[in-house]
Amino acid sequence: MNVQNEKSMTVRGKDRYKSGVMSYKKMGYWEPDYTPKDTDVICLFRVTPQDGVDPIEASAAVAGESSTATWTVVWTDRLTAAEKYRAKCYRVDPVPGAEGQYFAYIAYDLDLFEPGSISNLTASVIGNVFGFKPLKALRLEDMRLPVAYVKTFKGPPTGIVVERERLDKFGRPLLGATVKPKLGLSGRNYGRVVYEALKGGLDFTKDDENINSQPFMHWRERFLYCMEAVNRAQAATGEIKGSYLNVTAATMEDMYERAEFAKELGSVVVMIDLVIGYTAIQSMSNWARKNDMILHLHRAGHSTYTRQRSHGVSFRVISKWMRLAGVDHIHAGTVVGKLEGDPLTTRGFYDICREEYNPAQLEHGIFFDQNWASLNKVMPVASGGIHAGQMHQLIQHLGEDVVLQFGGGTIGHPMGIQAGATANRVALEAMILARNEGRDYVSEGPEILAKAAASCTPLKQALEVWKDVTFDYASTDAPDYVPTAVPAA
Ligand SMILES: O=C(COP(=O)(O)O)[C@H](O)[C@H](O)COP(=O)(O)O
Ligand SMILES: [Mg+2]
């Protein structure tokens, strides 16, 4: 069906405001002749209408219910600049290879949104509409954020450039590890893991998403022992080290108290989980900015609504919101590890975090050109089931401005935690050296690692223990458009 060619059906004049129910497309939420303004926010939704529901009407309903409409005509529209405030669906395309699904492009006037508030933005664009009965499913795939709107956000408090300057670490990915087991260690044993991992060569260690203040280890214990470990590791290595102290808690007051204590102890970084919510994230961002602190975001919970392609919110949209909201680190996928991560889709997430400007690139899932208007860049974090033997692939897929985090892949090392950290550091440095020498480090990767391992027993053992570990499963969240060969000019 060529849905694109349906003409405008907007009813105009006094008939528009007669009491009663009128289809959304007649109420003015379908405007195929509309050209979005530079200042409009644009959303791309994947709409799956119920059987028998016209895709244009379903898409117009999404525009209506995410902006000004209700289910019936209301005369009070006439007290407003209704034509301006109505979101306008201006284009509907069938999704390639997915029968019954449509991409609906919807433009929203900038005045519909409070400046600098992710909560306000999301209350509109994902507020009610995902439960609308005429739709089987709905997914927010991408957004174009106008520069005028981007400029109302402060963005990441530190950014990649300043983070590297503060840490005095350049020209290579940073290395981290999530302390394992996730739950159950006492403060003192937890601190031992942190010390060994940092002393062995990592830059960062990290609390896991669900480490807060449990009976086996209250938060102050954790902070005290972690910072003792950080300070000792710094003294032993002469390098700046950090441990992401997770300040996630039940209330803002608790989070501020924990963050203040982290600062008092000299930490360079604090951590929050995505589940704390957008307002709390923006508040913590303000705190981090005021206190010269790196703010690490673990995307705990995101897969509940980002992973399935037909319903929810794409992680590329969450990445955009988080760059606006202002976090310095965000978990963005590993490609090769244990968790969901199609290579091309993941590339799109990384570009959103790290580029000044994103050109539309359908094969990476990026539908719009996006200018970031000099907002700081977010350091993506690759974490989840990665190990030293994948170093060449990690650098190939994820580049240089990234934190590579090996939890099990450090702490599970047969010779112990320090050895696990050393294996990762040596593998990384060998690979970066090979890259800098202009070698084809991707295809020669296994050889480069083997050569480095010849003089590094910890790396040799890591490669041996984990050599067969791969997570080769089909990706759920792959792009809808495949790259096409372009004939030579
Ligand atoms: O605990 C881990 C990783 O542990 P390990 O390194 O032992 O696998 C993190 O919570 C996940 O990486 C989160 O996933 P994501 O980074 O995809 O959000
Ligand atoms: Mg975890």
Side-chain angles (χ1 to χ4, degrees):
M1 180 184 4
N2 193 350
V3 282
Q4 262 193 71
N5 287 341
E6 280 204 23
K7 298 269 179 292
S8 170
M9 285 155 244
T10 306
V11 176
R12 299 188 196 272
K14 66 180 181 354
D15 288 346
R16 166 65 180 81
Y17 293 102
K18 264 196 200 140
S19 291
V21 176
M22 183 185 279
S23 64
Y24 289 89
K25 57 188 182 185
K26 288 191 177 161
M27 287 199 281
Y29 297 103
W30 166 241
E31 292 289 5
D33 299 328
Y34 182 73
T35 308
K37 300 191 293 260
D38 285 348
T39 52
D40 284 348
V41 169
I42 304 175
C43 287
L44 175 76
F45 288 95
R46 179 194 298 258
V47 180
T48 311
Q50 295 280 8
D51 297 341
V53 173
D54 164 23
I56 300 270
E57 174 60 9
S59 303
V62 172
E65 291 289 336
S66 61
S67 61
T68 51
T70 187
W71 56 278
T72 184
V73 172
V74 293
W75 67 267
T76 40
D77 268 346
R78 303 183 82 177
L79 303 176
T80 72
E83 295 196 358
K84 172 177 168 175
Y85 295 147
R86 260 176 223 136
K88 295 158 193 75
C89 179
Y90 62 93
R91 177 172 162 190
V92 177
D93 297 339
V95 176
E99 207 180 325
Q101 298 185 3
Y102 299 86
F103 283 136
Y105 292 76
I106 299 178
Y108 300 77
D109 193 274
L110 192 54
D111 281 2
L112 295 175
F113 305 107
E114 176 175 342
S117 168
I118 300 290
S119 291
N120 176 255
L121 174 72
T122 50
S124 274
V125 301
I126 59 167
N128 281 337
V129 67
F130 281 66
F132 197 53
K133 279 185 178 169
L135 311 178
K136 256 189 221 159
L138 183 64
R139 189 183 202 220
L140 180 53
E141 288 286 344
D142 202 0
M143 289 185 78
R144 197 281 306 261
L145 306 154
V147 167
Y149 185 59
V150 172
K151 278 291 190 190
T152 66
F153 288 87
K154 294 193 205 121
T158 312
I160 294 179
V161 172
V162 173
E163 170 166 356
R164 284 196 177 281
E165 289 182 346
R166 284 196 197 154
L167 299 175
D168 197 23
K169 294 172 198 275
F170 305 93
R172 64 165 173 87
L174 302 173
L175 288 176
T178 312
V179 174
K180 302 285 171 176
K182 284 157 85 106
L183 298 171
L185 290 170
S186 68
R188 189 178 165 116
N189 284 329
Y190 199 93
R192 287 172 60 186
V193 176
V194 170
Y195 173 74
E196 293 207 19
L198 296 178
K199 164 93 186 329
L202 303 189
D203 306 300
F204 289 126
T205 49
K206 161 182 178 298
D207 293 338
D208 222 329
E209 67 282 350
N210 50 356
I211 272 287
N212 297 155
S213 194
Q214 281 106 324
F216 52 81
M217 178 174 57
H218 290 126
W219 68 273
R220 289 180 71 94
E221 288 294 292
R222 175 163 47 93
F223 284 21
L224 285 164
Y225 279 113
C226 282
M227 287 313 297
E228 182 189 3
V230 166
N231 290 331
R232 287 186 182 211
Q234 290 187 144
T237 61
E239 290 184 20
I240 297 167
K241 306 281 184 182
S243 198
Y244 318 155
L245 298 173
N246 191 354
V247 302
T248 297
T251 66
M252 279 317 295
E253 293 74 19
D254 290 334
M255 287 206 285
Y256 287 135
E257 184 189 354
R258 294 177 194 191
E260 287 294 339
F261 191 52
K263 183 181 80 170
E264 211 176 289
L265 295 175
S267 183
V268 294
V269 53
V270 292
M271 164 179 164
I272 49 175
D273 289 336
L274 183 60
V275 291
I276 67 174
Y278 304 128
T279 297
I281 291 170
Q282 288 197 257
S283 289
M284 286 311 300
S285 178
N286 284 342
W287 181 91
R289 182 175 283 265
K290 210 155 85 194
N291 291 286
D292 308 309
M293 193 69 89
I294 297 165
L295 184 62
H296 177 94
L297 180 86
H298 187 296
R299 57 178 175 170
H302 80 98
S303 285
T304 50
Y305 49 89
T306 60
R307 191 174 183 195
Q308 295 302 325
R309 265 159 86 186
S310 61
H311 191 82
V313 181
S314 163
F315 190 72
R316 79 182 59 87
V317 175
I318 304 292
S319 305
K320 289 186 175 181
W321 293 346
M322 290 304 103
R323 187 162 177 186
L324 295 177
V327 300
D328 291 313
H329 289 181
I330 187 169
H331 286 236
T334 63
V335 179
V336 294
K338 69 184 178 186
L339 301 166
E340 173 68 32
D342 174 81
L344 297 174
T345 304
T346 305
R347 176 66 196 276
F349 305 158
Y350 274 64
D351 285 347
I352 288 166
C353 293
R354 296 189 299 205
E355 301 297 327
E356 174 56 26
Y357 180 84
N358 302 136
Q361 215 158 358
L362 295 179
E363 65 271 26
H364 295 169
I366 306 282
F367 285 80
F368 302 107
D369 296 344
Q370 177 64 53
N371 185 341
W372 285 103
S374 300
L375 280 196
N376 277 342
K377 295 169 184 174
V378 183
M379 182 83 89
V381 176
S383 164
I386 59 175
H387 56 83
Q390 301 158 326
M391 200 57 84
H392 49 301
Q393 296 162 308
L394 291 166
I395 295 172
Q396 175 202 10
H397 289 296
L398 310 176
E400 182 174 292
D401 280 329
V402 57
V403 188
L404 302 176
Q405 262 172 209
F406 306 84
T410 299
I411 295 148
H413 192 282
M415 277 167 76
I417 300 162
Q418 274 199 50
T422 302
N424 287 318
R425 181 75 178 256
V426 170
L428 175 70
E429 293 199 356
M431 208 54 70
I432 290 292
L433 179 65
R435 184 203 65 174
N436 293 352
E437 286 172 347
R439 290 175 65 183
D440 179 357
Y441 70 91
V442 179
S443 58
E444 294 173 37
E447 264 168 66
I448 294 163
L449 289 173
K451 179 146 183 279
S455 55
C456 175
T457 308
L459 179 56
K460 197 164 169 224
Q461 295 201 334
L463 296 177
E464 186 52 35
V465 175
W466 292 311
K467 65 176 180 302
D468 296 326
V469 178
T470 54
F471 298 93
D472 275 332
Y473 298 94
S475 291
T476 309
D477 188 15
D480 292 278
Y481 295 91
V482 283
T484 45
V486 181

